[in-house]
Amino acid sequence: MPALALGAIGVVFGDIGTSPLYTLRECLKAAGGVSPTNVFGIVSLILWSIIVVVTCKYVSFVMRADNDGEGGILALTALASDVAPARLRRMLLTLGVFGAAMFYGDSMITPAISVISAVEGVTLIDPHLSEWIVPVALVILTGLFKLQKRGTGAVGRLFGPVMLIWFVALAVIGATNIADHPSIIRAVSPVYAFLFVAHAPATAFIVLGSVFLALTGGEALYADMGHFGKTPIRLSWLLLVFPALVLNYFGQAALVLARPSVISQPFFESVPSWALIPLVALAALATVIASQAVISGAFSMTKQAVQLGLLPRIPVVHTSSHEIGQVYVPFINLTLYVAVVFLVLFFRSSGNLAAAYGIAVASTMLLTTLLMYFVTHCLWRWKPVATFAVIGPMALVDALFVSSNANKVIDGGWFPLLAGAALFTVMTTWHKGREMVVQQIRNDSLPLAPLITSLTTGEHPVMRTHGTAVFPGGVADMTPTAFLHNLKHNGVMHRINIFMAGSTYNTPHVPDEQKVSVRDLGNGCYSVAVHHGFMEIPNVPSVLTLLEKQIPDWHYEPDDVSFFLGRDTIVATGQSHVMSLWREKLFAFLARNGAQAAEYFSLPPNRVVEMGGQINL
């Protein structure tokens, strides 16, 4: 538990833990400057927003809705879809996909704003160093993305001690400034937040968009739950992270009340001049780690999306033999890196990035709350009054933050929204395209069982050859095109023929005893239904070892098995009434550029035979 808690501190809390670098500064800027009403009201809003959204909603409530230990909006969508009425499941899938797309948009902007905000501290050492902010930030970010291949566990062990020091430093710095100006403690009362809102409602509404910057790592707590488990995350938050953040925000507020001139950099101004250089260095390390939370979450989200049929096959690398949730996705890593470099070069300062930050993750938080309604009402069987009493206020708070962030769209919020919209289009197009392909195969293919009977017991049975032929990735009860091509070109059937059709359950993992079900078609032919969880990568050789117990007198010998795969070329015809021509072309492009089936199914390359085919949409 201590090791997992330290790893969680190093990975999960980086984003929310570095928000003090810029949050109070941006709030005061939006409020129009320093005044007792502004400072007391804003720091009170920050405190109670953290309590309501992070502690009450995510740590205490949403993290209870784990899907066999996994978190994130796609895991929540799978959980809600299982228990919701059938007529609502497509709507829930759409909500989940949109939330996931918005999370990707947030994953792009978090590393950029986090690292730049830390590097900007060098301007207090020497104003002439400002021209080095962007180059140094790019070097740091490049090193971070290159480190990802080592895995979340290794990164967590490396970053955990650094973040532990960071949160202790936040607490000490904050407590020191509070001791100098203890009157700020009165802002613990929510009365100051209400007075601030009542004094200038329009200004307060705009300020809420900046207050939300203190919450932007909340969704990552849930998304990264599968990496470390809920208990280590909860303990780390309650015992270390939450107290340290509160002390630091209040310490900064106390400082700007005493010295309004520090408003441009209240975080770095809150330490003596001799401690500035060490603090800038520590902040740079901490912001690198802040990026890790959303990057790890994006990896987990991608793995789930591939298995749920929302993205084409993408190579996923498992980086731990102990924690199955720890993965590395090279393509996503490269994509995020390119997007982050663009953001740094385009916006060039944390102030500009703050104007773009929040709208995407605020949307994801609102969708998470809506999905939680179905979990509480349909799965946990809460009474309607209890459900609305909990979900209603949470949804109201989330909607308030979404609307307050809406004015950021013009100032740069368009980028995460644009990226999210593009990913939403890709995911919905792939999902619908796969449904069309399966339907096309069912329309054009022959039923499997009658064909096997005619080939093996008819007047002219097909010649048989030794060995085992496996046909992975087929459609249940339909004849694979690779099997027909093998008959056409080679004129033989193997002694044992195994036809596999896979399906993904709405649970992260399926036990081995439930993973396969076999139907004997007679004469050495078997139809096998393979069941995977949405966090599992199909591994055909390991499935074959499970079949040894269910196929009489057969043993899996790798050198005696040939794997036949169909490589279908998707042709966009524009004749479909389901998708427009441009979406058909997009689906065909995605299908051409997905990972090879042999690699995805973990097949030995020297035992694979691929047969070409064509599917007209």
Side-chain angles (χ1 to χ4, degrees):
M1 185 63 67
L4 284 173
L6 185 62
I9 291 170
V11 173
V12 177
F13 297 107
D15 185 6
I16 198 167
T18 53
S19 296
L21 284 167
Y22 47 80
T23 297
L24 187 64
R25 179 191 71 197
E26 296 302 321
C27 290
L28 290 171
K29 187 188 301 182
V34 177
S35 71
T37 301
N38 288 351
V39 174
F40 274 85
I42 286 171
V43 78
S44 184
L45 273 175
I46 291 174
L47 169 64
W48 286 99
S49 296
I50 293 175
I51 290 174
V52 171
V53 175
V54 183
T55 304
C56 295
K57 176 185 171 181
Y58 278 97
V59 175
S60 302
F61 181 59
V62 174
M63 287 180 68
R64 291 180 58 199
D66 66 297
N67 198 328
D68 285 348
E70 294 293 336
I73 194 165
L74 286 183
L76 182 62
T77 300
L79 193 64
S81 298
D82 260 359
V83 296
R87 67 182 185 277
L88 298 177
R89 288 175 185 172
R90 185 167 289 277
M91 180 196 73
L92 292 181
L93 178 64
T94 303
L95 291 178
V97 170
F98 185 74
M102 291 299 103
F103 182 85
Y104 279 113
D106 177 56
S107 300
M108 295 173 181
I109 202 167
T110 295
I113 188 173
S114 299
V115 173
I116 277 195
S117 63
V119 178
E120 284 174 343
V122 300
T123 58
L124 295 179
I125 302 171
D126 185 348
H128 296 95
L129 293 175
S130 59
E131 62 186 36
W132 288 95
I133 291 174
V134 170
V136 171
L138 291 176
V139 169
I140 293 173
L141 288 165
T142 300
L144 171 67
F145 281 96
K146 285 184 70 66
L147 191 63
Q148 293 305 311
K149 67 180 68 174
R150 296 183 58 186
T152 308
V155 171
R157 286 191 297 274
L158 177 65
F159 288 164
V162 176
M163 287 306 293
L164 182 60
I165 296 172
W166 170 255
F167 284 116
V168 171
L170 288 183
V172 171
I173 293 169
T176 302
N177 284 283
I178 292 172
D180 291 338
H181 312 283
S183 62
I184 194 64
I185 296 176
R186 290 180 301 172
V188 168
S189 170
V191 170
Y192 287 94
F194 287 117
L195 289 175
F196 175 71
V197 172
H199 180 261
T203 301
F205 181 74
I206 296 173
V207 169
L208 274 179
S210 298
V211 169
F212 186 76
L213 295 172
L215 313 175
T216 50
E219 187 70 23
L221 268 69
Y222 184 47
D224 282 335
M225 189 166 62
H227 288 255
F228 299 99
K230 62 176 72 173
T231 301
I233 292 175
R234 283 172 169 167
L235 288 175
S236 300
W237 170 257
L238 294 173
L239 298 180
L240 175 66
V241 179
F242 174 59
L245 290 175
V246 171
L247 285 171
N248 195 265
Y249 282 123
F250 273 67
Q252 289 187 52
L255 180 67
V256 296
L257 273 178
R259 295 166 51 199
S261 60
V262 304
I263 187 174
S264 61
Q265 287 287 2
F267 177 81
F268 289 109
E269 293 277 11
S270 60
V271 298
S273 57
W274 60 265
L276 184 57
I277 294 177
L279 184 61
V280 170
L282 181 60
L285 285 174
T287 51
V288 167
I289 298 163
S291 311
Q292 186 63 51
V294 290
I295 295 172
S296 301
F299 290 164
S300 297
M301 192 90 67
T302 301
K303 182 180 177 183
Q304 296 174 22
V306 170
Q307 282 303 95
L308 290 170
L310 300 173
L311 285 175
R313 292 187 293 257
I314 299 174
V316 175
V317 179
H318 286 271
T319 57
S320 172
S321 58
H322 305 292
E323 290 291 329
I324 196 166
Q326 295 183 7
V327 293
Y328 164 64
V329 186
F331 175 76
I332 296 299
N333 193 58
L334 177 61
T335 303
L336 289 178
Y337 173 68
V338 171
V340 167
V341 169
F342 167 78
L343 286 167
V344 170
L345 293 175
F346 185 82
F347 288 97
R348 305 190 72 82
S349 76
S350 62
N352 293 337
L353 281 164
Y357 197 28
I359 182 66
V361 72
S363 303
T364 304
M365 286 183 172
L366 176 59
L367 294 173
T368 296
T369 302
L370 296 179
L371 291 169
M372 282 299 298
Y373 166 81
F374 293 94
V375 174
T376 54
H377 181 65
C378 302
L379 179 62
W380 297 345
R381 302 294 182 185
W382 286 14
K383 293 181 179 179
V385 173
T387 300
F388 283 110
V390 173
I391 299 296
M394 288 183 179
L396 183 62
V397 171
D398 289 336
L400 189 60
F401 278 121
V402 169
S403 58
S404 65
N405 276 281
N407 66 325
K408 295 183 177 182
V409 174
I410 297 176
D411 295 328
W414 56 267
F415 181 84
L417 290 178
L418 181 63
L423 284 162
F424 178 77
T425 302
V426 167
M427 287 193 279
T428 53
T429 298
W430 181 258
H431 184 71
K432 176 57 67 176
R434 287 301 304 164
E435 289 181 345
M436 293 172 61
V437 166
V438 169
Q439 188 59 47
Q440 190 77 1
I441 291 174
R442 290 193 177 279
N443 293 339
D444 297 343
S445 299
L446 300 171
L448 181 60
L451 178 64
I452 294 299
T453 301
S454 66
L455 291 173
T456 55
T457 62
E459 295 183 4
H460 303 286
V462 175
M463 186 181 300
R464 309 294 286 265
T465 185
H466 72 279
T468 299
V470 178
F471 301 87
V475 176
D477 301 323
M478 305 307 295
T479 305
T481 55
F483 176 70
L484 295 175
H485 285 312
N486 187 44
L487 282 176
K488 176 181 177 181
H489 294 291
N490 299 322
V492 296
M493 286 176 59
H494 286 70
R495 185 181 69 86
I496 300 294
N497 295 272
I498 299 174
F499 303 91
M500 288 187 177
S503 61
T504 301
Y505 283 2
N506 283 341
T507 55
H509 311 286
V510 176
D512 284 349
E513 58 271 17
Q514 301 174 19
K515 197 172 288 290
V516 294
S517 56
V518 179
R519 183 161 66 99
D520 190 347
L521 303 176
N523 294 287
C525 297
Y526 301 89
S527 175
V528 178
V530 185
H531 314 295
H532 289 99
F534 61 76
M535 289 298 292
E536 296 177 304
I537 299 298
N539 188 307
V540 171
S542 67
V543 169
L544 291 177
T545 61
L546 299 176
L547 292 178
E548 290 182 325
K549 300 176 181 178
Q550 302 194 42
I551 298 180
D553 303 322
W554 179 80
H555 297 284
Y556 172 47
E557 296 289 344
D559 293 335
D560 194 42
V561 175
S562 297
F563 300 93
F564 291 84
L565 296 172
R567 178 178 287 192
D568 295 318
T569 300
I570 308 296
V571 177
T573 63
Q575 299 177 1
S576 168
H577 300 293
V578 180
M579 285 200 304
S580 57
L581 179 60
W582 72 267
R583 290 187 72 193
E584 288 184 7
K585 291 182 176 180
L586 174 60
F587 175 72
F589 172 80
L590 294 172
R592 285 195 304 271
N593 290 278
Q596 297 299 319
E599 178 184 5
Y600 182 70
F601 291 131
S602 303
L603 303 180
N606 60 336
R607 305 299 303 175
V608 174
V609 180
E610 290 191 329
M611 303 286 189
Q614 180 172 302
I615 295 178
N616 297 319
L617 294 180

